[in-house]
Amino acid sequence: MAAVEATTLVGGVIGYFFLANVSSFWLGIIMAHVGGGFMYLAAHAVLGEMVKHGKKLVLTSFSAGVALIALLNIGLRFLTS
């Protein structure tokens, strides 16, 4: 498990060294790809859990998670400005 999770750190190091001088256009393309993959995984997980646990519970939990992320984002931006 640690080896699998360590790939996140390896990816960060690779990105730091290889993407330091890349234009913002290419960084935008990379971020769009990453964001799309994240949205796919989130939708796949939500739909899979809806089959197991019911629509209302899953959508409520997912919405609460998204709201918490938004509140943390706003709060951290407020604290750093």
Side-chain angles (χ1 to χ4, degrees):
M1 177 108 163
V4 170
E5 293 300 326
T7 60
T8 303
L9 298 174
V10 171
V13 170
I14 290 170
Y16 179 78
F17 288 111
F18 288 107
L19 299 176
N21 297 322
V22 175
S23 72
S24 61
F25 172 78
W26 289 109
L27 286 177
I29 297 289
I30 292 168
M31 292 304 291
H33 176 72
V34 171
F38 179 76
M39 290 174 58
Y40 169 78
L41 289 174
H44 184 270
V46 167
L47 293 174
E49 290 298 316
M50 285 170 66
V51 171
K52 294 179 190 175
H53 301 291
K55 182 178 179 180
K56 185 176 181 181
L57 174 65
V58 173
L59 290 178
T60 302
S61 300
F62 182 75
S63 299
V66 170
L68 180 60
I69 290 169
L71 288 172
L72 286 170
N73 190 357
I74 292 168
L76 290 173
R77 285 178 190 246
F78 179 73
L79 289 174
T80 58
S81 63

